[in-house]
Amino acid sequence: MASIKYTYLFNQGNRSMVNLLGGKGANLAYMANKGLPVPEGFTITTQACNEYYENDCKISEELQRQIDESLETIEELTQKTFGGLENPLLVSVRSGAPVSMPGMMDTVLNLGLNDETVKVLAQKTNNERFALDSYRRFIQIFSDVVLEIPRDIFEDKLDEIKANYGFVQDNELNVESLKEIIAGYKEIVKDVIHEDFYQDVRVQLKMAIEAVFKSWQNKRAIIYRDLHNISHSIGTAVNIQSMVFGNFSDTSGTGVLFTRNPVTGDNELFGEYLINAQGEDVVAGIRTPMPLNKLSEEMPEVYQELFEIVKKMEISYKDVQDVEFTIENGKLYFLQTRSAKRTAMAALKIAIDMFNEGTIDKITALTRVQPEQVEQLLHPSFDNNVIKDLQPISKGLPASPGAANGRIYLDAQTVAEKAGEGEETILVRHETTPEDIEGMIHCKAVLTSTGGMTSHAAVVARGMGRICIVGCQNIELDYKKRQVKIGDRIYNEGDWISVDGSTGNVYDGKIETETNVVPDQFKTLMTWADEYALMEVRANVDNAVDAQKALDFGAMGIGLCRTEHMFFGEERIYDMQRMILADDEATRIKALDKLYPYQKEDFKAIYHVMKELPVTIRLLDPPLHEFLPHTPEDVKKLAAKLNISEQTIIERSKSLEEVNPMLGHRGCRLAITYPEIYEMQARAIVSAAIEVNNELGINIVPQIKIPLVVTGSELERLRKMIVIEVDKEIESLNAKLDYNIGIMVETPRACLVADELAEHSDFFSFGTNDLTQMTYGFSRDDFSKFSNEYLSKKILPCDPFAQLDDQGVGKLIKMAVDQGRAVKPNLKIGICGEHGGETNSVLLCYKYGLDYVSCSPYRISLAKLVIAQATAFKLLSVNNY
Amino acid sequence: MASIKYTYLFNQGNRSMVNLLGGKGANLAYMANKGLPVPEGFTITTQACNEYYENDCKISEELQRQIDESLETIEELTQKTFGGLENPLLVSVRSGAPVSMPGMMDTVLNLGLNDETVKVLAQKTNNERFALDSYRRFIQIFSDVVLEIPRDIFEDKLDEIKANYGFVQDNELNVESLKEIIAGYKEIVKDVIHEDFYQDVRVQLKMAIEAVFKSWQNKRAIIYRDLHNISHSIGTAVNIQSMVFGNFSDTSGTGVLFTRNPVTGDNELFGEYLINAQGEDVVAGIRTPMPLNKLSEEMPEVYQELFEIVKKMEISYKDVQDVEFTIENGKLYFLQTRSAKRTAMAALKIAIDMFNEGTIDKITALTRVQPEQVEQLLHPSFDNNVIKDLQPISKGLPASPGAANGRIYLDAQTVAEKAGEGEETILVRHETTPEDIEGMIHCKAVLTSTGGMTSHAAVVARGMGRICIVGCQNIELDYKKRQVKIGDRIYNEGDWISVDGSTGNVYDGKIETETNVVPDQFKTLMTWADEYALMEVRANVDNAVDAQKALDFGAMGIGLCRTEHMFFGEERIYDMQRMILADDEATRIKALDKLYPYQKEDFKAIYHVMKELPVTIRLLDPPLHEFLPHTPEDVKKLAAKLNISEQTIIERSKSLEEVNPMLGHRGCRLAITYPEIYEMQARAIVSAAIEVNNELGINIVPQIKIPLVVTGSELERLRKMIVIEVDKEIESLNAKLDYNIGIMVETPRACLVADELAEHSDFFSFGTNDLTQMTYGFSRDDFSKFSNEYLSKKILPCDPFAQLDDQGVGKLIKMAVDQGRAVKPNLKIGICGEHGGETNSVLLCYKYGLDYVSCSPYRISLAKLVIAQATAFKLLSVNNY
């Protein structure tokens, strides 16, 4: 009876045998079959692992026989002997499951060393120190991963002996001290296992193989599989590979290389190497490696071989490779190859180049730029070499990316003034409110001591592409003294700081920034992305300037145009305040009549930019008290301006005050109480559209969006009210106009009764910021006070305001989509919350079947790329690797 | 071919023919068949109505033939002729669908009157004024419901003529003016229909029948059916009944009676009558009716007949009847009988009496007391005769029922002092906070100017049975001047007001209250309720005194024991504040160690009352800033007491301040940051239980409840922490103890991931207050500012904080129940939000399949009755009527 095959020499397997040989084994087989010089070795199958468990965790005789047989073949191929004293074969032992998985056993290198073979190695390499160091590392790692002796016992011993010799760095260890360490290590092992460290190399190997098998069932691995729904019965393979040595001779060496430049993306070999050295030497930093092109002079044939092979590997793997190689006595070996990490710029260039070279198709090229890297391309940054050694003076949440330096100022007005004088400014506040808009427009960056990823500062800054860091907890502001205390240091207004909105780091002083120029390749990539986009990307913008920016970035419409910021201009804020302070409807309507032309002009300007693309305008949303002054000085000023008593303003403010404004009198609740506000806005939207239609001879269809709806009857009433007002306006202008009225779906209840709401809605637009707040009961303004606890303790996998919560909020969204479409199969559904510009959230929206995402202009490219990649991965899912 | 029968004389039908004859028709048939003297008449079937629609809204020849035939029979039976001038037959025409339904046509009385028959009527009744008044009413009502001429045109005409005559009341109209009015009415009709008012009585009848048929499809009726899922194809029946006249002679008369006293419930006829009069005369108040027993003297035979029949009717209908009767020339007729409205006390007595008499069974008796009436039995009230003419000075939300009078005081401390001096006090505040507990305990009633049905004042007052009105918008407080402005009037501290927490009315001055003594029958009813209760009722109480009260009311455990109020005692609040102000864990733990004995003693006291009944203790929930002082004086006091700087307290308060405290750092989030708080509480709960177990030799199983959970990993972590602490405590006390750890399900997310949470929960307890807040995005503290708009405009059918929202919040609850039970089929699930004591909400909980509701002690009886009735109605659903 033919026995089952449990071991495969590398050249016996192939790339498709992932289930049997694991990912690493299949990959090694692939390289071996391609004729690449991979050190000899073999893989023990996952089936062997599974049978090991069935066999009460014993290695069967048949498996042992096949291991011995394979090892013998390796000995023959390498002309070395395992445990032999002539030319000892050393091996590495690694796990390799079909699915990459943390928690599995680490690599054991140099297995086969013992008190005897170490001497031979010293002699062969002519480097006793290297041999001894390899041996002490082997004992340490074997004890850790196979014998499970706590790592720190060895670390303590090492530190102790280093201290005795007065050494600080590991590379100072000499032969004498290494011998002492090895002796010490062996003692530790003996204390634990009550026998000497294993000198029988076959015992070493057997134990290492069993340790790999066992690590399949260790707790971390089990939890990981549970979490990711990976079957526990897959098992892991074990890879046993002969070691090669770059320090055998002067015709030996070791190095790493990239098949293209990972910083610029240029098509040139890029790397470094050391003659007569092992990988460890490079890491230890004892000697300075040489640039790779030097190798073409020192060992031209080897270089040529290397060059030809790695270029073939690149084509074969269809991606830039990061390769580790070793030369042993003039013979080249490849120890590892993997896709190379690269900068945003390089990723972009390589993707386009490889498409142009015919190596990859367009879809694959699209997947080769990480969406998050897009931000690097669009925003200025600090030189990494400059900041890598700097200690940040504060760290907050990276609310809006990019790097900037500037002088600190504590209020919007001063920022606007100083910026007018040509200064670079950074606006520092506890938090921002709509009153700070002017300052946010003129500063280079915004820094707040409180607030989370969806606080006012974060949302608005992101919208205008302004750099922003929020929730810097170690910053204390003293508005009176005009000072900021960051950590222990006092900064006065006018002092310089530098901020990195991509990391949340704040630095002392002025650090220069580098501005990246958006390359043409980026535009090419975006064009490709559009070809594969199955979901629209719109923009969240409030004015014509940003609308133009959004168009430039390829927005297909405006998903959210907030109207509240429009009320904060110099004169109009007074009319707004007059409206709020009105005692009766007549006065209120008079004030609204004054606001009407402002609104109309704002809308007209936006329509002029967007033309016939959809512009979704959200009617007034924030509670009215946000528009009233908050300081005694401002109250005084307003009282004088409006010619009313300060007391009136204070009393009205007080009567509008709320315990929980987020859950208060805002959104469409305002229009239930004061219908005239929405009526004015509806008229302005419609007449603006009609005028622009007439001016440009186009056909704008306004999209009117009602916020914070909770019941069908509320919506029915408001829709009726708006329809009456709008139709009256259209008639009075003797015009024709189609328009849509839809809703923000942003309360849990709106999701729960979405069928009822769909009856009266032309579209749904998820406001996931508010929806997240209410679903969790997390106030976005207060969450930063305890979010650290939740994130650092992994109670939350991520900030739900930054990344959409699939399990909770997502369930509500899905429910609303299903119910809404059940009533209106073609209901247009999108998302306009901050999540619309975050990779994972965009993917979730795609999964939920939304028609579009809407995000701030600077995130449009990212969103487009995410969507295109989602489509691409779907198309590539039956891949040909 | 036998034709279909479209008309049924009353004695041809029976009670089971509801679908064919409608509810009213079947009921008339029932009375006729029981031999009751009902005026002759017949019913046109629902089938006729449906065929009318199929027949393009035409009355078929066959139907017309049957109507004529039936009418002829009625003429024979009554010896009257329809349209005749000898003895004219007048009829009433009414709709009567199988399902009672608003929007259907009203009654047309006196149909058959025209210019001729009115004269005969005047002559026969010897009362021209009555005849003319009947005719003018007939024209008016016929024009309204049949001809659809707007009612106010007639009202205007009536007012005009009354004004001409200088009349104010309708009963001042004399013959002359009535003739003028009739002429005027006929003119109005002619203006609209362009012909004279219909003199042909058969035309009148046909039109009235068609009007009934048509009203089945009027808009209001259609909407009602849509809303209640009633089929549109049922159709309505039409009842045509001969009119009888109590004003024919001095042996005629009219009256109303109750078969038992509706105020006291005593088994005696109760009613009044008028000789030679029609119902209208009683209503118009021209003459004073006589008490019913007078009839036994005036017309002893009629009285005897009346007495015997109505007692039979009572037994037949198995309930006290409210009967309208007419005597026409010594002959008794019943025009209507229906179940009598009655006071709480009467309802109770009648239910028990009728059971004892054998008329009804226990289940039916249980359904005869309205759950809402229970409150009337338990709380003091104002004499209705006293307050009915009083104008309230303010009206708020009726947060906790009962009536009280007392002197106004504006803070808790003064209330406590004055109450100590023996004064009756009413605590008036903007809103209450936990700091006001002392005052709430000592006052007779609490009045707040803000807040909703689940504000702090409302919840706490209800819990302690304290009378409370919240959200009185016309009340302004001036704490400095120690004054309250109610409407336009200023009240100083010490002034008297009276409040009715059952209606929300506030009255000037001191109105005496009546204390109802809870009758023994109430206890009987509650015992019966327990027999049929398929759901447990627990209490929300925080201390031993209230726990005893809850037990007395029949609570089967404590569903919610809040722990925060326990920290507000004189000394302990300082330790609590010390804990909050602590800079480090060590100081915090020291302060907590001081709080520990207080907590333990509180828990012990409760356990001593409740013994082995479940006591569910919620760990600390409110944000810490609630415990810090809010006024400069209190800050000063605390600083002195704790020997720290005021600045420290102010800074800490400021750092704890939140924009939206409801969505802030509270609930179990506190325990993620400061685990030591929950650890202390868990220890106190457990050691209290062990000590009481030892003292009483019983076996308490503590129920520990974690508030505001949002994710599985949060709960897993906290549960583990508590289990460790609890087990350590049990071990250190060398004891044995079972305990359960469960959660408040009060965020939408908790409902959405209930399966995940059930893994780590022994029970679920819905906190529907918070759940409602977050589902709607309504802050309970701010909702009252706009709730009026929503309720008065019917945008919300009711206050969702008072009555559970089935459509939205209910959907989340159902989802959580289903998911939770899918993981743990026997998961104990209850509700401890305020809804647990509201009739409709309790019914919903029953529908959702919860195991228990928990409410404030005074609402336990109500909840029990609701549950028993739900069970009873289920048992009675195949009823035998």
Side-chain angles (χ1 to χ4, degrees), chain A residues 40-59:
Chain A
E40 302 296 342
F42 63 98
T43 303
I44 303 173
T45 65
T46 55
Q47 190 180 359
C49 172
N50 290 329
E51 289 185 11
Y52 171 80
Y53 279 106
E54 284 161 24
N55 194 27
D56 291 331
C57 292
K58 285 199 189 83
I59 288 188

Side-chain angles (χ1 to χ4, degrees), chain B residues 194-382:
Chain B
H194 304 298
E195 53 182 311
D196 288 328
F197 182 76
Y198 305 98
Q199 294 294 316
D200 182 338
V201 297
R202 285 180 191 266
V203 171
Q204 289 176 2
L205 181 61
K206 190 174 173 189
M207 290 185 77
I209 291 169
E210 289 196 71
V212 173
F213 283 164
K214 281 176 188 156
S215 71
W216 174 255
Q217 293 288 23
N218 78 24
K219 206 176 159 197
R220 212 173 130 217
I222 291 172
I223 290 173
Y224 182 86
R225 290 197 296 272
D226 277 339
L227 270 178
H228 293 82
N229 282 321
I230 299 169
S231 163
H232 294 300
S233 58
I234 296 176
T236 181
V238 187
N239 297 293
I240 294 152
Q241 187 171 25
S242 62
M243 300 286 299
V244 288
F245 295 96
N247 53 349
F248 255 156
S249 62
D250 281 344
T251 55
S252 301
T254 190
V256 292
L257 72 79
F258 294 83
T259 56
R260 302 194 185 204
N261 188 315
V263 178
T264 63
D266 288 342
N267 192 353
E268 59 186 14
L269 285 203
F270 181 94
E272 47 190 30
Y273 72 102
L274 270 176
I275 288 294
N276 201 352
Q278 257 219 343
E280 277 299 318
D281 299 322
V282 182
V283 176
I286 305 173
R287 293 158 53 193
T288 307
M290 312 288 285
L292 195 66
N293 55 6
K294 261 283 181 198
L295 188 66
S296 62
E297 295 164 23
E298 288 198 5
M299 301 169 87
E301 279 163 32
V302 171
Y303 179 83
Q304 194 53 35
E305 188 190 359
L306 184 65
F307 182 83
E308 278 164 22
I309 290 176
V310 296
K311 288 316 273 186
K312 265 189 220 149
M313 280 164 74
E314 187 185 88
I315 289 169
S316 180
Y317 279 101
K318 299 188 178 184
D319 198 5
V320 176
Q321 297 296 299
D322 166 357
V323 177
E324 285 178 28
F325 63 92
T326 287
I327 305 159
E328 191 183 78
N329 289 331
K331 176 156 173 43
L332 180 64
Y333 292 97
F334 288 97
L335 301 186
Q336 174 159 302
T337 183
R338 55 186 175 189
S339 285
K341 294 223 184 310
R342 63 207 79 172
T343 64
M345 204 65 92
L348 182 63
K349 181 165 167 41
I350 290 166
I352 306 280
D353 285 353
M354 289 185 89
F355 169 78
N356 289 333
E357 291 158 17
T359 311
I360 56 176
D361 55 18
K362 214 183 265 185
I363 300 179
T364 307
L366 269 172
T367 65
R368 288 292 165 75
V369 179
Q370 298 302 315
E372 293 75 16
Q373 291 184 320
V374 169
E375 294 195 337
Q376 285 181 38
L377 292 172
L378 301 178
H379 297 287
S381 57
F382 294 130

Side-chain angles (χ1 to χ4, degrees), chain B residues 596-623:
Chain B
Y596 170 82
Y598 292 125
Q599 282 258 292
K600 195 172 82 177
E601 287 313 311
D602 286 336
F603 295 142
K604 280 188 69 176
I606 293 172
Y607 286 138
H608 266 283
V609 173
M610 300 303 290
K611 311 251 166 25
E612 290 189 351
L613 290 174
V615 175
T616 317
I617 298 173
R618 182 179 73 184
L619 301 176
L620 193 69
D621 184 53

Side-chain angles (χ1 to χ4, degrees), chain A residues 499-555:
Chain A
V499 298
D500 187 342
S502 311
T503 62
N505 286 334
V506 182
Y507 300 96
D508 181 50
K510 184 176 178 181
I511 303 171
E512 293 305 328
T513 61
E514 305 176 329
T515 306
N516 296 316
V517 178
V518 179
D520 283 344
Q521 285 110 323
F522 182 70
K523 283 168 198 155
T524 306
L525 194 77
M526 282 298 119
T527 318
W528 295 355
D530 283 342
E531 288 174 30
Y532 290 95
L534 289 186
M535 196 163 54
E536 248 179 68
V537 180
R538 297 186 183 176
N540 300 345
V541 297
D542 306 349
N543 57 62
V545 174
D546 288 345
Q548 185 58 54
K549 214 181 294 169
L551 261 195
D552 293 345
F553 279 118

Side-chain angles (χ1 to χ4, degrees), chain A residues 785-809:
Chain A
K785 286 197 184 154
F786 58 92
S787 60
N788 269 345
E789 302 273 348
Y790 272 73
L791 295 169
S792 65
K793 290 176 181 162
K794 307 265 176 231
I795 298 168
L796 292 172
C798 56
D799 182 341
F801 292 109
Q803 194 170 318
L804 197 58
D805 159 41
D806 186 29
Q807 263 191 305
V809 178

